[in-house]
Amino acid sequence: MPPMLTLINTNRMVPAIGPIGLEYVAEAAARAGIDVSILDLALCDDPDRALREHLAGRGATLIGLSFRNVDDCFWPSAQWFVPGLADLVQKIRGLSDAPIVLGGVGFSVFAKEIVEYTGADFGIHGDGELATIALYRQLQNGRQFETVGGLVWRSQGEIRANRPAWPAEISLPARREMFDNRAYFARGGQCGFETKRGCNRRCLYCADPLSKGPVPRSRKPAEIADEIESLLAQGIDVLHTCDAEFNVPRRHALAVCEEMIRRSLGEKVRWYAYLAVTPFDAELADALRRAGCVGINFTGDSASETMLSTYRQQHRAEDLAAAVRLCRENGMKVMIDLLLGGPGETPQTAAETIRFIKQIAPDCAGASLGIRVYPGTGMVDVLRGCVGSPHSLGGIVKRSLRSLAMADFPCARPSPRPTGLDDATLLTHPLRRQGPLDAQPGMRRRYAGPIDLFQPTFYISPALGPEPARLIKDLIAGDQRFFEPMAEGAPTRNDALGSPEQSDPESTGHNYNDNTDLVEAIRQGARGAYWDILRHLRGSRPQEGL
């Protein structure tokens, strides 16, 4: 049989999200002359049967599995998807002798851990397009795995990891014809596109630099517009950026908008974007509108100076107000994502944030409660570095209670860099996983034993009391613009992966995974960002000055 690269989309979360990363890899491999076969488990009614039939009689040289989400990143459901991936790897082992490589955004946060846990042969930390091609060719001739960028591999009983695959320049295939994007549009209500990878913002909690790199790497605007035109040709006219923050850097976001305007794409597509609160000004807002953007989800986090400083955010409360005003002036819907319960959060800071959000009146706001703690992020610096020190989290809370202007405390700064390590090496250095996290009273998890950040592990400030979700709901006071947090201790059920999922009948939260109201609305024809679809379902309207 001829050599072949088999690529499998493992993400079966609903609403269905198109695997654009795997599609970029597939198109890059095909363009390099590799015979590619694709199995999309998200669109299969019987994935086990589809797997057996697809692999039967195929002489794959390499089987690649995409892994988009390690968990649902949502407390208190805390669904962990890695065991399901391990089961899938074992099923494939029984059907094929081909080596298995894992990749994806979620995978790259825990690359070595997931390879070890699942028993896969390889993994790719970072961009998969060039790395997958290089691995495929090394398997055919040479097996010099140390030359493959981003490769996690096994050697003499050990798991080795090459430097992450974060090329300085990225050029991605723009055809978008390897997967059934029409089906994803029908089942998911939107399709994604990517304008860049990487982020240099160093927010306290964010894992994006771990998976995509600590420096923004931008695609050419013309290439992005080509991709949008290809999706339009397939009948897909509602899109969403897959960038962490579309406007970082601002000049690239403006250039992308200008290219879309030049091609009159703003008259043909509606699209949504994730944006940082700053930089965002009248020029960029106008360009977004003319390019077809109809809704923006801002990473607001908080409106409290205390918490914005703790989260290492570059904006302040007045910037949030300005962003909402600019969206209103340009006819774009606006969502503000809040992150409540971080280190130093108190009832006073939470009340300050919710009161301010009510005043500036976005179309909706997500009141997420609890921070997913990822190794290699500033959250670990705070939670580990402050235990037993004069600058403990208890001290932070006391200062927060005395004043809402906690401008400076050493624990919120990055830990000193180990001597001789650069950014890429630091992200995988063993120091990132040392420290007494079990001593922190604010840690939340659904597994037994010592704290293991590989599994869904969250932090909620103890100062919010024994029922933090109830506190936040009381502060929201029924304002329908807010997606409320889910209460702890609600009845649970098991999802398809056997993980506990919360079912809180009082919750108006925005955990999109397996959201039956959202799935049904899309089935009936709703299109757009999920927050906008849910907003329409709830009939929320801006209420000025509440």
Side-chain angles (χ1 to χ4, degrees):
M1 296 180 184
M4 178 181 295
L5 171 63
T6 296
L7 298 177
I8 301 176
N9 175 32
T10 69
N11 181 23
R12 288 181 50 80
M13 293 176 67
V14 291
I17 301 295
I20 67 168
L22 194 62
E23 187 163 20
Y24 291 143
V25 171
E27 290 194 4
R31 192 166 60 182
I34 297 173
D35 187 12
V36 179
S37 71
I38 290 172
L39 174 60
D40 194 345
L41 296 180
L43 304 181
C44 296
D45 294 331
D46 186 343
D48 287 344
R49 178 179 177 181
L51 192 66
R52 291 193 302 271
E53 292 179 351
H54 190 87
L55 295 179
R58 292 179 184 265
T61 300
L62 178 66
I63 297 175
L65 308 182
S66 67
F67 193 54
R68 182 176 181 268
N69 301 94
V70 174
D71 54 74
D72 67 354
C73 197
F74 196 86
W75 180 259
S77 56
Q79 296 180 75
W80 195 35
F81 303 138
V82 179
L85 178 65
D87 290 344
L88 180 59
V89 168
Q90 293 309 307
K91 289 178 183 177
I92 293 172
R93 290 278 190 228
L95 299 170
S96 173
D97 294 330
I100 297 171
V101 59
L102 309 177
V105 174
F107 168 82
S108 291
V109 178
F110 295 100
K112 290 183 68 174
E113 291 92 338
I114 293 176
V115 167
E116 181 176 12
Y117 186 97
T118 62
D121 302 284
F122 303 101
I124 294 174
H125 181 176
D127 297 7
E129 293 81 16
L130 298 178
T132 302
I133 295 170
L135 173 60
Y136 181 89
R137 288 175 173 162
Q138 287 298 330
L139 287 168
Q140 288 186 305
N141 182 25
R143 303 184 68 86
Q144 297 179 1
F145 299 132
E146 66 277 3
T147 67
V148 179
L151 191 67
V152 178
W153 50 295
R154 298 174 184 273
S155 176
Q156 298 180 346
E158 297 182 357
I159 296 178
R160 299 179 58 181
N162 299 342
R163 293 175 61 84
W166 297 326
E169 297 183 3
I170 58 171
S171 177
L172 303 177
R175 290 191 310 148
R176 297 293 298 274
E177 295 175 351
M178 300 288 283
F179 280 77
D180 189 350
N181 287 298
R182 292 183 183 87
Y184 278 105
F185 189 46
R187 298 189 187 192
Q190 56 174 283
C191 281
F193 68 103
E194 194 171 31
T195 73
K196 67 178 191 313
R197 292 172 179 170
C199 185
N200 60 358
R201 288 233 157 176
R202 308 286 186 170
C203 298
L204 185 76
Y205 50 82
C206 186
D208 205 61
L210 305 177
S211 60
K212 296 184 179 182
V215 176
R217 299 170 292 122
S218 303
R219 297 176 71 188
K220 293 180 180 179
E223 182 179 278
I224 298 164
D226 288 345
E227 181 173 328
I228 293 172
E229 287 181 338
S230 178
L231 290 169
L232 264 174
Q234 300 173 49
I236 297 162
D237 60 359
V238 181
L239 307 174
H240 204 306
T241 63
C242 297
D243 311 329
E245 311 288 13
F246 175 70
N247 56 334
V248 180
R250 177 189 178 278
R251 65 183 180 276
H252 182 255
L254 191 60
V256 172
C257 290
E258 289 172 346
E259 180 65 18
M260 294 179 68
I261 294 167
R262 188 183 71 80
R263 301 194 194 190
S264 300
L265 288 172
E267 303 168 10
K268 304 170 185 175
V269 297
R270 293 186 297 124
W271 57 283
Y272 298 78
Y274 299 111
L275 263 71
V277 179
T278 59
F280 186 65
D281 53 28
E283 181 185 24
L284 182 55
D286 177 68
L288 282 159
R289 175 187 60 80
R290 292 190 293 126
C293 183
V294 296
I296 297 176
N297 186 342
F298 287 103
T299 305
D301 286 353
S302 178
S304 160
E305 285 294 317
T306 296
M307 297 310 301
L308 289 173
S309 295
T310 297
Y311 290 144
R312 303 178 189 165
Q313 282 292 1
Q314 299 183 19
H315 68 269
R316 290 300 175 258
E318 59 268 23
D319 298 315
L320 278 168
V324 172
R325 183 178 66 252
L326 285 170
C327 287
R328 291 272 179 260
E329 292 172 354
N330 286 276
M332 295 182 290
K333 299 302 180 184
V334 56
M335 158 88 163
I336 296 177
D337 260 325
L338 302 175
L339 191 57
L340 304 172
E345 188 85 86
T346 67
Q348 290 88 341
T349 61
E352 180 186 11
T353 291
I354 292 171
R355 181 170 59 248
F356 187 83
I357 296 301
K358 290 181 179 183
Q359 291 171 353
I360 64 175
D363 291 282
C364 50
S368 296
L369 178 63
I371 298 178
R372 171 57 158 108
V373 183
Y374 290 104
T377 65
M379 274 296 294
V380 178
D381 291 331
V382 170
L383 298 177
R384 284 182 172 151
C386 295
V387 174
S389 77
H391 304 286
S392 66
L393 290 181
I396 294 171
V397 170
K398 290 179 182 178
R399 288 196 295 277
S400 297
L401 289 170
R402 289 196 300 265
S403 170
L404 292 177
M406 185 182 62
D408 184 37
F409 56 94
C411 324
R413 302 171 184 159
S415 294
R417 179 188 302 278
T419 303
L421 296 186
D422 57 21
D423 284 336
T425 306
L426 181 60
L427 293 176
T428 56
H429 194 271
L431 287 176
R432 73 176 187 157
R433 298 199 65 178
Q434 298 175 355
L437 288 181
D438 296 274
Q440 291 296 349
M443 303 303 287
R444 299 284 205 281
R445 69 296 195 7
R446 291 196 168 279
Y447 57 88
I451 293 291
D452 177 12
L453 299 184
F454 184 25
Q455 301 187 54
T457 306
F458 298 79
Y459 175 87
I460 300 177
S461 172
L464 296 182
E467 295 185 281
R470 175 53 56 192
L471 169 68
I472 300 303
K473 289 184 179 185
D474 289 345
L475 292 172
I476 290 171
D479 190 323
Q480 287 297 296
R481 293 168 299 182
F482 284 82
F483 297 110
E484 297 176 347
M486 192 178 289
E488 296 182 26
T492 63
R493 64 178 176 80
N494 284 343
D495 73 345
L497 295 175
S499 302
E501 181 179 349
Q502 294 300 113
S503 176
D504 180 1
E506 297 183 3
S507 174
T508 56
H510 64 305
N511 185 355
Y512 304 137
N513 179 33
D514 202 20
N515 187 312
T516 54
D517 291 339
L518 183 58
V519 171
E520 178 61 21
I522 293 170
R523 190 187 68 81
Q524 295 183 13
R527 299 291 181 265
Y530 293 159
W531 58 265
D532 203 17
I533 294 175
L534 292 174
R535 179 183 69 86
H536 280 290
L537 288 177
R538 294 167 55 181
S540 61
R541 293 292 184 270
Q543 304 169 48
E544 300 288 344
L546 289 182

